[in-house]
Amino acid sequence: MKAGLIDVLRSWCSEQEQGPTREGIKARFVEGGAESAYADLESTLTLGRASVWENGLCDLEILSITTGQQLLYQHHEGLQGSSLVPLLDALANRMMKYREG
């Protein structure tokens, strides 16, 4: 059985909390209802959010805590569960780069 985007997002957040996490990045899963969910990511300098809908939509964002400036916005359509993890990993890694300067 294929995992839906919400299940994949939930699992990814759980792995971030339990496994060897990216230094300084915290992730929190929030269920938005039967068809959507999001994950809030936080570092010392940035806030990130990954919003997913079971119909295959996904929005990724990074904001600067200091300036409020949007540093990243990506919109994806037609995603399947297997293609979400690389996007989430890239989002967290990009947040780390801002943290590192």
Side-chain angles (χ1 to χ4, degrees), residues 77-91:
E77 297 183 11
L79 287 181
Q80 306 235 341
S82 61
S83 57
L84 181 59
V85 171
L87 293 175
L88 297 171
D89 288 340
L91 179 68

Side-chain angles (χ1 to χ4, degrees), residues 42-99:
E42 184 179 344
S43 73
T44 55
L45 296 177
T46 58
L47 298 173
R49 177 169 280 180
S51 304
V52 299
W53 291 265
E54 285 298 354
N55 64 2
L57 298 176
C58 174
D59 290 334
L60 304 173
E61 302 173 82
I62 299 175
L63 299 176
S64 166
I65 291 173
T66 308
T67 66
Q69 177 184 6
Q70 187 175 53
L71 304 172
L72 171 79
Y73 175 78
Q74 294 179 349
H75 175 75
H76 300 271
E77 297 183 11
L79 287 181
Q80 306 235 341
S82 61
S83 57
L84 181 59
V85 171
L87 293 175
L88 297 171
D89 288 340
L91 179 68
N93 289 337
R94 188 150 180 190
M95 288 177 67
M96 286 182 63
K97 289 180 182 174
Y98 288 115
R99 187 181 64 83

Side-chain angles (χ1 to χ4, degrees), residues 1-72:
M1 181 173 145
K2 286 198 245 179
L5 292 178
I6 292 173
D7 290 335
V8 171
L9 183 62
R10 182 184 294 112
S11 294
W12 185 85
C13 287
S14 179
E15 289 172 12
Q16 300 309 302
E17 292 173 2
Q18 297 173 7
T21 61
R22 289 162 183 85
E23 187 177 330
I25 303 282
K26 297 177 188 174
R28 180 176 66 97
F29 174 82
V30 179
E31 189 123 15
E35 297 295 320
S36 67
Y38 62 91
D40 283 335
L41 287 75
E42 184 179 344
S43 73
T44 55
L45 296 177
T46 58
L47 298 173
R49 177 169 280 180
S51 304
V52 299
W53 291 265
E54 285 298 354
N55 64 2
L57 298 176
C58 174
D59 290 334
L60 304 173
E61 302 173 82
I62 299 175
L63 299 176
S64 166
I65 291 173
T66 308
T67 66
Q69 177 184 6
Q70 187 175 53
L71 304 172
L72 171 79

